Amino acid sequence: MSKVEAEYILKPKFHYIFWIVFFLYQFISNAVQDPRYVFSFVSVLTYVSFFFTVLVFNFYATVLFFEILKYKKLSRIVNILIFIVLILTSSALALLNRGVIQPIFLNNYNPINYTKYLSFWLFQFIYYFTMGAGYFFVKEFVKEKITSTKLANEKTVIESNLLRSQINPHFLFNTLNVLYAKSMVYSEELADKIQKLSEIMRYAYLPKWLKDGSHAPVTEEIKHIGNIIEIHEFRLSNNQIFQFDTQGTFTDIYLPPLILVTLVENILKHGHLTAEYPAFVALKHENDQFSFFSKNKIKTAKNHEEHSGVGIENIRLRLNRSFPDQFSFSSVEADGFYYNQLTINLQRTK
């Protein structure tokens, strides 16, 4: 089954088509045994009322019951009570249909034989309960297949983006070492910035997390964010274009490497940073919640540099792999400014 075929099973359109076809099949099967179903309009209405108030209800109630069972925090007694409510509701609908709805449409209505009718209902309940259970497990299998396919594709994209961004690190570090040694003769400040650049590049290319996929300490991210800002301000001869604020302690907090660094680099690359409109970045750790917030002026059309958005999308993919359903991340343009907001619930990672 392809991914497209699997996804179709989960769409409402599939359900509409299935129930229409199934209803026609059931009705025609009954018509073979009783021709009145073909020629009597009231018979059609009667069967429609029974089909949707009893049979279809049993099907989706069963699916809902198994969805509830997925919540492992519920006790076994609660699950049993829910199942009993399902049975009672289904039987009540069946009796309502037979005792109230059918007499409205049928002139030749016969009094209810409760024993016979409840036996018939029990067979129908088991039949549609089995159908609902089967659909639930097929749906779960399909969702798992789609998720695994999506994760595999995301991994490929991440690895591809990482490979495209890499150059030969040994050549780079050897060159930086030479530049550092040469610059010491002319400017200690310039040599210091070259050394910081070398530290940034070593952090980006050499640590073990690039190989084994482990997380990097946030303290390292903060250190190199400071290095990046310092180099950028040195390049522009302006130390008033960036405000960096941290609140709380960040030891023992780990994130996918270069997440925060990439966000800051995007600000420096695509933002319009001046003393009047400095960029602002704030990191906060409080009550088992880590947050990153940034705000920067957007470059004007004249000096705006288009970017592909690959970096932001890469961040989303990596966060989703590391913290599924535990984070929120938004990037918004408003009133000439660009905002990033990342929040991670660290308590659920413990």
Side-chain angles (χ1 to χ4, degrees):
M1 179 184 293
S2 67
K3 182 174 180 292
V4 175
E5 292 172 333
E7 289 179 338
Y8 186 78
I9 294 176
L10 305 179
K11 294 181 177 180
K13 184 187 297 184
F14 169 81
H15 292 254
Y16 299 147
I17 296 174
F18 171 81
W19 286 120
I20 291 173
V21 173
F22 190 73
F23 173 81
L24 292 175
Y25 165 76
Q26 291 283 76
F27 187 78
I28 292 173
S29 298
N30 288 331
V32 172
Q33 302 175 21
D34 187 351
R36 291 180 303 171
Y37 278 91
V38 177
F39 302 106
S40 174
F41 177 70
V42 292
S43 296
V44 175
L45 291 178
T46 302
Y47 189 75
V48 167
S49 67
F50 176 77
F51 187 83
F52 286 100
T53 59
V54 180
L55 307 187
V56 176
F57 169 82
N58 288 344
F59 178 87
Y60 286 107
T62 300
V63 175
L64 178 61
F65 172 70
F66 280 98
E67 289 285 354
I68 294 174
L69 290 182
K70 290 167 59 177
Y71 295 95
K72 299 181 179 179
K73 293 183 179 181
L74 296 178
S75 65
R76 183 173 300 178
I77 295 177
V78 173
N79 291 329
I80 293 174
L81 290 175
I82 293 174
F83 183 71
I84 293 174
V85 170
L86 169 61
I87 295 176
L88 293 177
T89 305
S90 176
S91 60
L93 285 174
L95 291 173
L96 177 67
N97 180 273
R98 181 66 175 87
V100 178
I101 297 178
Q102 290 190 18
I104 297 176
F105 297 117
L106 295 178
N107 295 326
N108 59 343
Y109 169 74
N110 297 319
I112 302 177
N113 183 333
Y114 287 100
T115 302
K116 182 178 180 181
Y117 189 73
L118 288 177
S119 299
F120 169 73
W121 162 81
L122 181 60
F123 171 78
Q124 295 291 337
F125 177 81
I126 295 174
Y127 181 68
Y128 283 88
F129 182 87
T130 304
M131 281 183 58
Y135 171 78
F136 172 80
F137 289 111
V138 169
K139 178 173 68 71
E140 291 300 302
F141 171 77
V142 168
K143 289 171 65 175
E144 183 178 349
K145 177 180 176 65
I146 293 173
T147 301
S148 61
T149 302
K150 183 178 179 181
L151 290 176
N153 292 337
E154 289 176 356
K155 181 180 179 181
T156 301
V157 171
I158 292 172
E159 292 175 348
S160 176
N161 290 335
L162 182 62
L163 289 173
R164 285 187 299 171
S165 66
Q166 290 183 346
I167 59 175
N168 190 323
H170 299 290
F171 168 78
L172 176 64
F173 297 140
N174 289 337
T175 303
L176 288 174
N177 288 336
V178 171
L179 293 176
Y180 171 76
K182 295 287 185 180
S183 63
M184 282 290 294
V185 180
Y186 303 100
S187 171
E188 292 185 4
E189 184 180 16
L190 175 59
D192 176 66
K193 299 304 179 288
I194 293 175
Q195 183 181 26
K196 291 184 182 301
L197 177 60
S198 178
E199 291 177 0
I200 294 171
M201 301 308 295
R202 288 182 184 277
Y203 171 72
Y205 285 106
L206 296 185
K208 66 175 184 177
W209 47 73
L210 286 179
K211 297 180 180 179
D212 61 19
S214 60
H215 291 178
V218 169
T219 51
E220 286 293 311
E221 292 276 306
I222 293 175
K223 173 185 174 182
H224 292 292
I225 287 174
N227 287 342
I228 291 172
I229 293 173
E230 189 175 333
I231 292 173
H232 194 79
E233 290 180 335
F234 173 76
R235 184 173 67 88
L236 298 179
S237 301
N238 190 338
N239 60 359
Q240 298 179 340
I241 61 173
F242 213 103
Q243 298 176 6
F244 186 33
D245 180 56
T246 60
Q247 297 182 36
T249 58
F250 300 93
T251 54
D252 299 325
I253 300 178
Y254 296 83
L255 297 178
L258 304 176
I259 289 285
L260 304 181
V261 169
T262 300
L263 289 172
V264 173
E265 285 181 340
N266 282 344
I267 295 173
L268 299 174
K269 183 177 180 181
H270 304 293
H272 179 56
L273 310 184
T274 63
E276 182 181 4
Y277 296 108
F280 176 74
V281 169
L283 298 179
K284 186 176 181 179
H285 176 215
E286 184 179 28
N287 298 328
D288 287 323
Q289 189 174 78
F290 172 82
S291 62
F292 171 98
F293 173 79
S294 69
K295 173 186 176 182
N296 63 272
K297 185 76 172 176
I298 300 174
K299 287 185 177 181
T300 60
K302 183 177 180 180
N303 62 4
H304 179 63
E305 182 179 355
E306 290 291 336
H307 57 92
S308 63
V310 171
I312 295 296
E313 185 60 27
N314 192 299
I315 289 173
R316 293 185 192 279
L317 294 176
R318 297 171 66 199
L319 286 171
N320 191 56
R321 286 173 60 88
S322 300
F323 307 104
D325 302 321
Q326 297 168 213
F327 77 96
S328 63
F329 178 51
S330 62
S331 298
V332 180
E333 292 185 17
D335 301 324
F337 287 88
Y338 197 81
Y339 301 85
N340 285 307
Q341 176 70 58
L342 169 63
T343 303
I344 301 175
N345 186 353
L346 298 174
Q347 185 175 12
R348 296 177 60 183
T349 65
K350 295 180 179 180

